[in-house]
Amino acid sequence: MGSLGSFQQTKSLSDIKNKKLLHYHGFIDGQWADAASGKTFDLIDPGTGEKLATFPEMGAADTARAIESASKAFKTWKTTSGRERGRMLRKWNDLCLENTEDFALIITLETGKPLYEARAEVIYACSFLEWFAGEAERTYGENIPTANRNQRLVTMKQPIGVVGCLMPWNYPMAMITRKASAAIAAGCTTIWKPAGETPLSAGAMAVLALEAGIPPGVIQIITSLTTVAEVGKEICTNKLVKKVSFTGSTRVGRLLMEQCAPTVKKLSLELGGNSPFIVFDDADVDVAVEAAVMAKFRNTGQTCVAANRIFVQAGIYDKFATALSNTISTFKIGPGTQDGVFVGPLTHENVLTKVLTHIEEAKSKGGKIILGGSRVDGTKGYYVHPTIITDMPRGTITERDEVFGPVIPLYKFHTEEEAIELANNVDVGLGAFVITSSMPRQWRVTEALEVGVVGVNIGLLSAAENPFGGVKQSGFGREGGRQGIDEYLILKSMFLNVATG
Ligand code: SIN
């Protein structure tokens, strides 16, 4: 394993150059706000286990106030043109890019991801701003030929109204832009509920959105950690909210569906997956290793599309395992601000516990740990050694639940049919990866996999232009792509009588 170094951050929030980005409050009705209850929670740096800041623990009353304000703001925001909104989004994009280093540091301190990766998140996040700046003025309707010669029929797309954006902690900037910038481009107003682990990024994003000219009422931020269920319930049950977009677990997704049912709210749900990564005998091993590293180590394995179940054909199994282990054993682990760190801590203590449970169960059922296999000692941060498990046993929790950490279980298979069967044998279906040199197989396997996005000889599935989303219990709705803005629009038809008048 590469050097562990000392587990100190080399930078802190005081190194943020643009101090106006730092707000330790929610944002309601155009004002930075404390919780009505006066309660607060601590934000923890997962790289050190130390406190970073204190935030308001907002509840249902704060949320209702934010929704009321967003609903008022919608009355005028919806009348702006797509061109006007697009210009503001473009300005917001430019301002965010100008502040890349500051955003990267905030993201690193909140999530633990290394600075190089946090910078990549800033670029990725901004790509949604740029994308939806363009889409804002492309919300075309149709002119539909009618059966009746005296009639004309056209459709138009209109913003749906107030949108609740419930964000995860793994991409605190990019998940805001993937949801909220699409909604804002469509002419909607938004309630942001950033994860309790990452409220700083949300505040900084709002500061620059306002500077770009987006009116205050269009964005409201509710910060909460332990009151998240109460806040989510208010967003889902409040009649003034017309749409909820959520990224998170299937369990919470089901609950939100139930809560949204009485008001018949439109929903987009991205509920994670348990991505298969299939390496066939005919794969180029270097391509397979590079893709596996990308698919597994982005954000230390904490992505909804991370490669979690690695199926390797028998003829290439040992070669791939050795090559992967040789590569991963060189990775430096440590706090994200240290030079050369490739693998940061997990963002949450609960995730650390879960990852260790997966490893222990695999070991107890016969899996062989050829690399890593334990928590990193000597630090309060949530670090786990990158882990490779060969002879991975069947029937473990890893098949039913995404591991969300740097653990690579290698399952052996023999035929293409077996690989497809294994890959599809889960209730979820978000991402999948196929590594093969055979073009017919690339098509066959892609078509057979029950998921929303497939990477072929590539380890990255995310791009603003991609309509990203899942099937089965991974949820529904698409984020990004030209489809992404439609999630925030309603389709209205107009029939015209042209026979009179
Ligand atoms: C996610 O984990 O939901 C986001 C992953 C990505 O956008 O790449």
Side-chain angles (χ1 to χ4, degrees), residues 25-41 55-71 162 190-194 217 219-228 230-235 238 240-241:
H25 295 96
F27 187 69
I28 300 179
D29 200 22
Q31 305 292 326
W32 295 98
D34 286 321
S37 66
K39 289 187 188 152
T40 58
F41 66 90
F55 273 88
E57 184 77 275
M58 293 179 154
D62 305 289
T63 310
R65 200 159 72 79
I67 292 169
E68 187 78 34
S69 167
S71 181
V162 178
T190 57
I191 313 292
W192 300 2
K193 166 62 195 81
I219 293 170
Q220 319 270 339
I221 303 178
I222 300 297
T223 56
S224 88
L225 182 68
T226 59
T227 51
V228 60
E230 175 185 332
V231 170
K233 187 169 177 196
E234 180 62 32
I235 290 175
N238 192 311
L240 296 176
V241 177

Side-chain angles (χ1 to χ4, degrees), residues 98 212 274 355 373 389 452:
E98 280 165 26
N274 203 353
V355 166
I389 310 171

Side-chain angles (χ1 to χ4, degrees), residues 124 128 168 170-171 174-175 178 247-248 270 272 298-299 302-306 402 404 430 460-463 468 479:
Y124 175 46
F128 287 104
N170 58 353
Y171 288 87
M175 294 304 102
R178 192 158 86 176
T247 296
E270 198 270 74
R298 253 181 98 223
N299 201 21
Q302 301 169 111
T303 69
C304 296
V305 283
E402 53 185 343
F404 239 55
L430 184 59
L460 182 66
L461 305 180
S462 309
F468 183 92
E479 297 189 295

Side-chain angles (χ1 to χ4, degrees), residues 82-83 85-90 92-93 125-139 174 176-187 463-468 478-488:
R83 175 77 49 102
R85 296 192 294 272
R87 282 190 182 135
M88 292 177 210
L89 287 166
R90 224 163 264 123
W92 190 11
N93 169 65
C126 287
S127 71
F128 287 104
L129 295 177
E130 203 172 5
W131 177 263
F132 286 114
E135 291 303 297
E137 51 184 325
R138 292 185 203 124
T139 56
I176 290 176
T177 56
R178 192 158 86 176
K179 294 179 190 305
S181 73
I184 291 170
E465 61 274 25
N466 180 31
F468 183 92
R478 291 294 178 262
E479 297 189 295
R482 79 184 154 71
Q483 296 81 355
I485 197 165
D486 280 336
E487 299 286 334
Y488 303 98

Side-chain angles (χ1 to χ4, degrees), residues 400-455:
R400 300 188 301 277
D401 186 20
E402 53 185 343
V403 58
F404 239 55
V407 179
I408 305 186
L410 299 181
Y411 298 87
K412 195 176 280 177
F413 73 90
H414 294 89
T415 66
E416 185 177 309
E417 292 69 30
E418 186 192 357
I420 291 167
E421 168 76 25
L422 288 166
N424 286 341
N425 191 24
V426 285
D427 290 331
V428 287
L430 184 59
F433 304 87
V434 181
I435 312 296
T436 172
S437 306
S438 156
M439 191 183 278
R441 176 174 270 157
Q442 294 168 3
W443 280 92
R444 273 197 310 273
V445 178
T446 297
E447 286 173 4
L449 288 170
E450 296 168 355
V451 295
V453 200
V454 179

Side-chain angles (χ1 to χ4, degrees), residues 150-337:
N150 291 326
Q151 292 177 353
R152 298 293 177 268
L153 173 59
V154 292
T155 62
M156 62 188 85
K157 291 181 179 175
Q158 295 181 307
I160 191 164
V162 178
V163 176
C165 302
L166 309 183
M167 262 84 68
W169 43 256
N170 58 353
Y171 288 87
M173 189 174 174
M175 294 304 102
I176 290 176
T177 56
R178 192 158 86 176
K179 294 179 190 305
S181 73
I184 291 170
C188 296
T189 55
T190 57
I191 313 292
W192 300 2
K193 166 62 195 81
E197 290 77 8
T198 56
L200 267 173
S201 300
M205 285 297 285
V207 168
L208 296 189
L210 301 179
E211 196 172 321
I214 295 176
V218 173
I219 293 170
Q220 319 270 339
I221 303 178
I222 300 297
T223 56
S224 88
L225 182 68
T226 59
T227 51
V228 60
E230 175 185 332
V231 170
K233 187 169 177 196
E234 180 62 32
I235 290 175
C236 289
T237 55
N238 192 311
K239 271 204 293 201
L240 296 176
V241 177
K242 304 299 180 201
K243 156 95 193 190
V244 172
S245 175
F246 169 69
T247 296
S249 70
T250 300
R251 183 186 64 78
V252 174
R254 281 191 204 107
L255 178 69
L256 300 183
M257 281 179 89
E258 269 176 46
Q259 292 177 347
C260 286
T263 51
V264 195
K265 263 187 207 24
K266 187 167 168 174
L267 271 163
S268 302
L269 299 175
E270 198 270 74
L271 304 179
N274 203 353
S275 301
F277 184 100
I278 309 173
V279 186
F280 286 96
D281 280 347
D282 59 21
D284 177 321
V285 172
D286 292 341
V287 169
V289 169
E290 190 182 330
V293 167
M294 173 60 89
K296 177 44 77 178
F297 285 93
R298 253 181 98 223
N299 201 21
T300 318
Q302 301 169 111
T303 69
C304 296
V305 283
N308 287 334
R309 298 175 297 134
I310 321 296
F311 300 109
V312 189
Q313 204 161 10
I316 201 173
Y317 189 93
D318 291 337
K319 199 171 166 192
F320 175 70
T322 306
L324 191 60
S325 175
N326 289 343
T327 299
I328 294 173
S329 59
T330 63
F331 293 169
K332 180 176 173 186
I333 313 171
T337 54

